[in-house]
């Protein structure tokens, strides 16, 4: 590991040195530093800032501090009751040990697990701009079918972010130049010809909190994750959904997909198609198909199209029947 | 309580105070030092193992302020004042911790390499269960110590020998003590 200077952040609004990086739980960053993928000169530890609380918002939503640990967020009674999809997504990710360290802000800012990105001996446009991308012809079984570019087909690996996208969460950001709020679905960039830029954040902008809007029907929400083993593996496909059904019709729906794109993929086309329509398995499949018309699968990841389609219909059908039973 | 003063590296050093298994230490550390390397190389506590060194195997699991963590992914400098418990601090041969007793009674290991991490993880996991924290397989009202729950909650600890079946009753026995 390249040497660095360790500092403690005193305020979110402090200026960040040019080659400095924020350190929170470190479960991804420290690993990337060991691999030589991340090489900051300075680490600024943000975990001593007072950002580790979950507080009620006046509108009935919740504000989740950036350094709230994933395990604490998943276990919070308010999250489990009002936003079960978020608790489930968090618990589907990583392991008990990792969730005890990983934070809300850090989870959002974790990097892709693309094998070429993680290996500095290979080309990678995200890690070394302009060096090329071996993934299109090589190992892309778990890479993107939506939102990728010629330069990069990396996926965002987070489970939590998929639930946040479905819930319409807002990311609060602070820096020396001020504060702003970004929809979580706009936080991560599509790669285009600049895959080295994961997010829209400027250098020195720190995530301070994530706001969950009041969403009464999210009490009926769920996260389902497909992976290569029963536990402790990244998703090969995942679905976060919330469903509001009345008289057999979809009154409202929230749908987001994981492991298929460079960002948590909010399926707005599918949502639009479903509103006002009968909550049937056939309609859920048709809506997923419409959203997936934009999919551009490669040799070894076309299975994700079918997987995502079927997971979506399965999750929504289950939520619909759970509603009728009430 | 004894105090240790351990100085290893010249140059860019950070002062760190840690309490390890009830003993307070002060270190001047290269900031790159992971908690795992500090335990093994600086304090000679070789219970926690360096399996993958990337947070994928769980062999380095210790308790940090009472919570189970992967010590290989933690920079020691970032844990100023923290309390660390390793397998050496849980029990002794004469007076084993209930989880250690369970692993012995149920033959919950084969080669033993992953065992310190498994044991520390189980201790942390049982505390999470005690607090009523959910896992990915929890449905309200269910037994948090069913086979499925124990397996899911322990999925961050790999065992190359595949001694998993005997760890499940070992952990359940410890939970009852």
């Amino acid at each position: 590991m390249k040497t660095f200077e360790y500092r403690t952040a005193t305020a979110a609004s402090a200026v960040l040195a040019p080659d400095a990086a924020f350190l929170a739980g470190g479960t991804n960053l420290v690993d990337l530093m060991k691999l030589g993928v991340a090489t900051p000169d300075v680490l600024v530890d943000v975990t001593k800032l007072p950002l580790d609380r979950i507080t009620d918002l006046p509108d009935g939503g919740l504000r989740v501090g950036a350094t709230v640990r994933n395990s604490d967020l998943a276990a919070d009674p308010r999250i489990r009751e009002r936003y079960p999809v978020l608790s489930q997504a968090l618990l589907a990710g990583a392991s008990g040990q990792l969730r005890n360290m990983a934070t809300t802000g850090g989870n959002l800012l974790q990097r892709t697990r693309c094998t070429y990105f993680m290996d500095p001996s290979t080309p990678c446009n995200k890690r070394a701009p302009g060096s090329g991308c071996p993934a299109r012809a090589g190992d892309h079984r778990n890479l993107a079918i939506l939102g990728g570019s010629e330069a990069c087909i990396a996926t965002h690996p987070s489970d939590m972010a998929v639930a946040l996208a479905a819930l319409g969460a807002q990311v609060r950001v602070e820096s020396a130049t001020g504060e702003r709020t970004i929809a979580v679905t706009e936080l991560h960039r599509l790669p285009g010809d600049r895959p080295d830029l994961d997010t829209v954040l400027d250098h020195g902008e720190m995530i301070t909190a994530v706001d969950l809007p009041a969403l009464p029907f999210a009490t009926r929400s769920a996260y389902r994750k497909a992976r290569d083993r029963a536990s402790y593996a990244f998703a090969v496909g995942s679905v976060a959904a919330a469903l509001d059904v009345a008289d057999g019709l979809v009154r409202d729906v929230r749908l987001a997909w994981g492991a298929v794109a460079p960002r948590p993929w909010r399926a707005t086309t599918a949502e639009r198609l479903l509103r006002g329509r009968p909550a049937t398995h056939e309609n859920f499949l048709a809506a997923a198909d419409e959203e997936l018309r934009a999919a551009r699968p490669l040799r070894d990841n076309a299975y994700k199209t079918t997987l995502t389609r079927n997971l979506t219909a399965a999750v929504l059908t289950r939520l619909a029947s759970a509603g009728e039973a009430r | 309580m004894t105090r240790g003063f351990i100085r290893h590296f010249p140059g860019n050093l950070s002062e760190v105070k840690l309490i390890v298994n009830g003993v307070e230490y002060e270190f001047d550390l290269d900031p790159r030092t992971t908690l795992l390397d500090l335990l093994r190389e600086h304090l000679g506590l070789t219970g926690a193992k360096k399996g993958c060194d990337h947070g994928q195997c769980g062999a380095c699991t210790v308790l940090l302020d009472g919570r189970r963590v992967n010590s290989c992914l933690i920079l020691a400098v970032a844990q100023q004042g923290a309390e660390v418990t390793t397998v050496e601090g849980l029990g002794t041969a004469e007076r084993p911790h209930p989880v250690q007793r369970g692993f012995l009674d149920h033959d919950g290991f084969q080669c033993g390499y992953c065992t310190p991490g498994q044991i520390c993880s189980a201790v942390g996991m049982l505390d999470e269960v005690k607090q009523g924290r959910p896992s990915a397989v929890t449905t309200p009202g269910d037994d948090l110590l069913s086979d499925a729950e124990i397996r899911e909650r322990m999925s961050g600890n790999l065992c190359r020998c595949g001694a998993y079946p005997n760890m499940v009753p070992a952990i359940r026995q410890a939970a009852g003590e």
Side-chain angles (χ1 to χ4, degrees):
Chain A
M1 192 189 296
K2 187 179 83 65
T3 194
F4 57 86
E5 185 187 335
Y6 172 84
R7 292 181 199 159
T8 307
T10 49
S13 57
V15 175
L16 189 68
D19 289 313
F22 292 125
L23 170 72
T27 52
N28 185 214
L29 180 57
V30 173
D31 190 27
L32 292 175
M33 289 168 69
K34 288 183 181 187
L35 294 168
V37 174
T39 54
D41 287 335
V42 181
L43 278 188
V44 179
D45 186 346
V46 303
T47 60
K48 318 301 184 233
L49 295 173
L51 300 173
D52 60 347
R53 295 275 184 275
I54 305 170
T55 49
D56 285 281
L57 292 171
D59 71 345
L62 288 175
R63 175 162 297 166
V64 180
T67 63
V68 172
R69 307 289 170 172
N70 286 178
S71 52
D72 294 333
L73 185 57
D76 188 279
R78 293 164 293 182
I79 298 290
R80 292 176 71 184
E81 186 189 325
R82 295 186 224 169
Y83 310 100
V85 63
L86 178 55
S87 180
Q88 291 170 20
L90 285 157
L91 293 170
S95 67
Q97 291 95 311
L98 291 166
R99 293 191 294 270
N100 275 340
M101 287 305 291
T103 63
T104 313
N107 186 313
L108 285 172
L109 297 180
Q110 65 178 304
R111 312 295 307 272
T112 184
R113 298 313 197 281
C114 172
T115 50
Y116 303 104
F117 175 76
M118 300 276 283
D119 179 359
S121 72
T122 64
C124 168
N125 289 324
K126 186 182 277 299
R127 176 172 36 73
S131 62
C133 173
R136 284 190 162 272
D139 176 13
H140 56 245
R141 179 179 168 271
N142 200 16
L143 299 184
I145 56 170
L146 288 164
S149 68
E150 279 300 318
C152 182
I153 47 170
T155 46
H156 193 261
S158 171
D159 294 296
M160 179 195 79
V162 184
L164 292 180
L167 293 169
Q170 301 284 318
V171 180
R172 295 173 60 85
V173 172
E174 200 172 325
S175 72
T177 55
E179 296 177 47
R180 61 175 175 145
T181 301
I182 306 163
V184 74
T185 47
E186 302 297 321
L187 176 69
H188 299 95
R189 293 177 67 259
L190 294 183
D193 56 5
R194 286 301 304 274
D196 52 315
L197 302 174
D198 282 7
T199 72
V200 299
L201 297 183
D202 293 326
H203 183 73
E205 280 193 308
M206 183 194 298
I207 294 175
T208 55
V210 173
D211 285 356
L212 305 174
L215 193 69
F217 74 90
T219 52
R220 193 194 302 170
S221 64
Y223 187 74
R224 187 157 166 197
K225 174 175 179 176
R227 43 188 157 179
D228 289 333
R229 58 185 184 194
S231 183
Y232 197 20
F234 289 100
V236 293
S238 73
V239 171
L243 186 65
D244 186 9
V245 179
D247 303 323
L249 299 179
V250 175
R251 198 151 57 182
D252 204 353
V253 60
R254 297 294 183 84
L255 183 63
W257 294 337
V260 292
R263 57 161 65 138
W265 192 267
R266 176 83 177 262
T268 49
T269 301
E271 289 180 6
R272 201 164 47 241
L273 270 173
L274 284 172
R275 287 196 186 96
R277 300 277 305 280
T280 63
H281 193 80
E282 295 67 36
N283 284 344
F284 297 147
L285 284 174
D289 285 341
E290 196 57 29
E291 183 79 37
L292 285 162
R293 280 164 65 107
R296 298 290 177 268
L298 298 167
R299 184 191 64 228
D300 293 331
N301 66 359
Y303 75 95
K304 288 196 176 198
T305 312
T306 318
L307 177 66
T308 304
R309 169 185 197 264
N310 291 342
L311 275 180
T312 299
V315 170
L316 289 174
T317 300
R318 200 161 167 184
L319 287 173
S321 61
E324 278 163 18
R326 280 205 305 201
Chain B
M1 189 177 281
T2 60
R3 287 167 77 90
F5 294 88
I6 299 175
R7 294 165 203 279
H8 278 268
F9 290 96
N12 173 21
L13 298 181
S14 302
E15 277 184 28
V16 182
K17 191 182 287 187
L18 280 174
I19 300 164
V20 180
N21 296 332
V23 182
E24 192 175 303
Y25 298 90
E26 280 179 26
F27 307 91
D28 281 344
L29 290 179
D30 182 311
R32 292 172 291 185
T33 313
T34 62
L35 179 57
L36 177 63
D37 283 341
L38 179 139
L39 294 169
R40 291 182 57 86
E41 309 297 334
H42 297 218
L43 292 179
L45 295 170
T46 54
K49 297 292 186 284
K50 187 177 277 194
C52 70
D53 208 25
H54 292 285
Q56 297 173 4
C57 77
C60 66
T61 303
V62 299
L63 300 169
L64 180 67
D65 292 327
R67 295 158 66 122
R68 54 179 173 159
V69 296
N70 296 320
S71 61
C72 76
L73 291 181
I74 292 171
L75 296 172
V77 288
Q79 300 304 326
Q80 193 69 255
E83 286 191 35
V84 180
T85 304
T86 70
V87 72
E88 291 92 342
L90 286 176
T92 62
E94 298 74 34
R95 291 183 151 208
H97 184 281
V99 173
Q100 292 171 317
R101 180 84 257 157
F103 271 67
L104 287 168
D105 289 351
H106 292 273
D107 198 15
F109 49 88
Q110 189 173 321
C111 84
Y113 186 85
C114 72
T115 310
Q118 299 278 3
I119 287 171
C120 286
S121 185
V123 172
M125 179 275 253
L126 289 173
D127 189 51
E128 291 160 16
V129 167
K130 211 170 175 179
Q131 294 174 43
R133 289 177 171 242
S135 83
V137 300
T138 303
T139 45
D142 276 5
D143 173 16
L144 295 184
L145 286 167
S146 66
D147 283 9
E149 281 278 6
I150 291 175
R151 286 172 179 278
E152 164 59 26
R153 288 169 187 272
M154 291 297 292
S155 71
N157 293 82
L158 307 189
C159 171
R160 177 64 180 76
C161 304
Y164 302 114
N166 291 354
M167 293 186 210
V168 175
I171 292 167
R172 188 177 296 113
Q173 173 184 309
E177 290 181 27

